[in-house]
Amino acid sequence: MDIIKFENFKTTSNKVPEGWVNVKIDRQLEFRLKNYVDVLDDHLISTNKIHPGQKHDLFSKIDALADMGNELTSEQVSIQTKLSIVTLLQYLRELKNNFNASTSGFLLECFLASLIGAKVKGDFSKFDLTHKILDVGKLKYQIKFYGEGNPSEIDWPDDIRKRCDYYILAIKEGDKISVSIFNGKNTADPSYMANFAKPIGRGKNRGTDVIRSKDIYKKVKNSNGTTDEVLVRTDKWITMDPGENVYTNFQFKRTIDLKQIERIISSCSQSIQDSIKILFDRISEMEYHAESIITGRNLNSVELSKKKTEEITSDIKNQLDGLSDSLNN
């Protein structure tokens, strides 16, 4: 996050304040997000939005973020909490604004992994995230991030053990990101993915089957010089189409309206600006005190006595306490 001087911190009625919500999107994303997610968890638990066991429940986290607008305008929520949660939303906004097929999927993986404390597997894996939960075991997730109107193809092996536990489809829809979470293994679960896949065929030829397949062959040269095609495997997949009515009404889909960031900031910008001014004043004063201790002289170049140095040290501690109080009120 960029840090700028308070006098350069500006906001207007139609523009997001610059400085405290500037975010950096790169492959270290999940590490920087951790502290913000911890603040989100504390807030959701303290307000009974989730119970402690749901800290690792991805749908509960997405559901909470999608409904965060009205809550963050409350004066009961600390400045620290507002800044942390708005920053999380701003990361999503940056992913939406800088959507790129080659990088957005990986960055969304980092974001979602951070929300639940999961691990990103990396490239060339059949799954994107792993998450080990006590009394549940290791869960595997696959994530797809597409532009609006684009169907997605999901590998769907016959052996359920080879499927992911959950499949996450995220769709960029203008100023919104919709996230749907499907179960990949439990056929009795209301979110079982195959129940929402696009049927094969069109019009009158449209059937009820949803599993598509393709035989994969390779050429093998015989000893007599002839060549045969040998069946190597049969790939199977399903197609998820956001335009399908059964998918549109999916109960485990939540849409995060990123325009709410501007509304949240606008409604609490004055209190945040006042708090930031106090923070900058405190930081500036602490910096002056630190320089005095290092040089052994005050602003007027007068040498400090041992007693005065101890007084300055004590004042720095008080300033730090005040800084913490400002963020938590």
Side-chain angles (χ1 to χ4, degrees):
M1 182 181 297
D2 297 334
I3 298 176
I4 61 175
K5 294 181 178 179
F6 179 76
E7 55 266 28
N8 294 328
F9 180 89
K10 300 176 181 178
T11 181
T12 62
S13 59
N14 61 356
K15 187 176 181 182
V16 178
E18 299 174 346
W20 61 277
V21 289
N22 289 347
V23 295
K24 183 180 180 183
I25 302 291
D26 61 17
R27 290 179 177 252
Q28 299 300 314
L29 178 62
E30 58 182 309
F31 300 107
R32 290 199 306 279
L33 284 177
K34 182 182 182 303
N35 289 338
Y36 297 122
V37 172
D38 287 344
V39 174
L40 173 66
D41 288 344
D42 290 343
H43 173 70
L44 294 177
I45 292 172
S46 66
T47 54
N48 298 316
K49 300 296 181 182
I50 65 171
H51 58 73
Q54 289 178 300
K55 288 176 63 174
H56 306 292
D57 184 335
L58 185 57
F59 183 74
S60 296
K61 292 292 187 66
I62 296 296
D63 190 33
L65 282 176
D67 191 37
M68 195 57 67
N70 293 329
E71 196 161 343
L72 288 186
T73 61
S74 170
E75 294 182 358
Q76 303 302 314
V77 181
S78 72
I79 295 297
Q80 186 179 55
T81 299
K82 288 179 180 179
L83 288 172
S84 296
I85 296 177
V86 169
T87 301
L88 283 175
L89 293 173
Q90 184 71 354
Y91 272 105
L92 273 181
R93 189 169 184 264
E94 287 297 311
L95 283 173
K96 185 270 298 181
N97 288 343
N98 299 287
F99 182 83
N100 179 291
S102 63
T103 60
S104 294
F106 178 81
L107 295 174
L108 184 66
E109 292 167 18
C110 293
F111 183 88
L112 296 178
S114 300
L115 286 182
I116 57 174
K119 293 182 178 180
V120 177
K121 273 301 285 184
D123 298 332
F124 311 115
S125 177
K126 291 291 185 181
F127 48 95
D128 300 311
L129 307 181
T130 60
H131 194 202
K132 192 172 184 179
I133 303 177
L134 189 65
D135 299 328
V136 175
K138 180 182 285 189
L139 300 178
K140 298 177 181 179
Y141 300 77
Q142 187 178 111
I143 300 169
K144 300 288 185 179
F145 189 22
Y146 290 92
E148 187 174 8
N150 294 321
S152 55
E153 295 182 349
I154 309 295
D155 290 335
W156 201 252
D158 290 330
D159 188 347
I160 290 180
R161 294 172 299 177
K162 294 182 179 180
R163 298 179 198 164
C164 292
D165 297 279
Y166 293 99
Y167 293 85
I168 303 164
L169 299 187
I171 308 295
K172 172 182 174 291
E173 303 172 338
D175 286 315
K176 302 176 181 178
I177 292 181
S178 67
V179 181
S180 301
I181 303 177
F182 298 88
N183 192 297
K185 293 183 177 180
N186 185 358
T187 58
D189 192 287
S191 68
Y192 183 62
M193 194 171 202
N195 293 339
F196 300 89
K198 184 178 182 178
I200 299 173
R202 297 181 178 179
K204 294 181 179 180
N205 296 322
R206 190 178 174 101
T208 57
D209 291 337
V210 297
I211 300 177
R212 293 161 164 78
S213 63
K214 181 179 180 179
D215 292 334
I216 306 299
Y217 294 87
K218 73 173 182 179
K219 292 183 178 181
V220 177
K221 192 172 183 178
N222 299 318
S223 58
N224 60 5
T226 60
T227 301
D228 291 330
E229 286 194 340
V230 177
L231 179 65
V232 177
R233 68 182 187 277
T234 299
D235 289 342
K236 294 190 176 182
W237 71 94
I238 57 177
T239 298
M240 303 300 293
D241 188 346
E244 294 288 313
N245 289 333
V246 67
Y247 179 17
T248 303
N249 299 320
F250 182 54
Q251 64 175 309
F252 293 100
K253 173 184 177 181
R254 289 294 181 269
T255 299
I256 300 176
D257 185 354
L258 298 172
K259 279 188 175 180
Q260 71 176 324
I261 297 175
E262 285 89 341
R263 183 168 60 84
I264 293 170
I265 293 172
S266 176
S267 64
C268 61
S269 61
Q270 189 57 54
S271 63
I272 288 179
Q273 286 189 66
D274 290 344
S275 295
I276 290 179
K277 186 178 187 308
I278 293 173
L279 296 183
F280 270 89
D281 288 345
R282 291 185 185 279
I283 291 171
S284 177
E285 190 168 347
M286 283 191 292
E287 183 180 11
Y288 160 66
H289 284 330
E291 290 175 352
S292 295
I293 292 176
I294 292 171
T295 62
R297 296 179 180 277
N298 65 14
L299 188 62
N300 298 317
S301 297
V302 176
E303 189 173 346
L304 300 178
S305 64
K306 181 179 179 181
K307 181 179 179 181
K308 188 61 178 178
T309 301
E310 290 174 349
E311 289 176 358
I312 291 176
T313 303
S314 177
D315 191 51
I316 290 177
K317 181 181 181 303
N318 293 334
Q319 293 288 352
L320 287 171
D321 291 339
L323 194 64
S324 177
D325 291 341
S326 296
L327 282 170
N328 285 288
N329 292 323

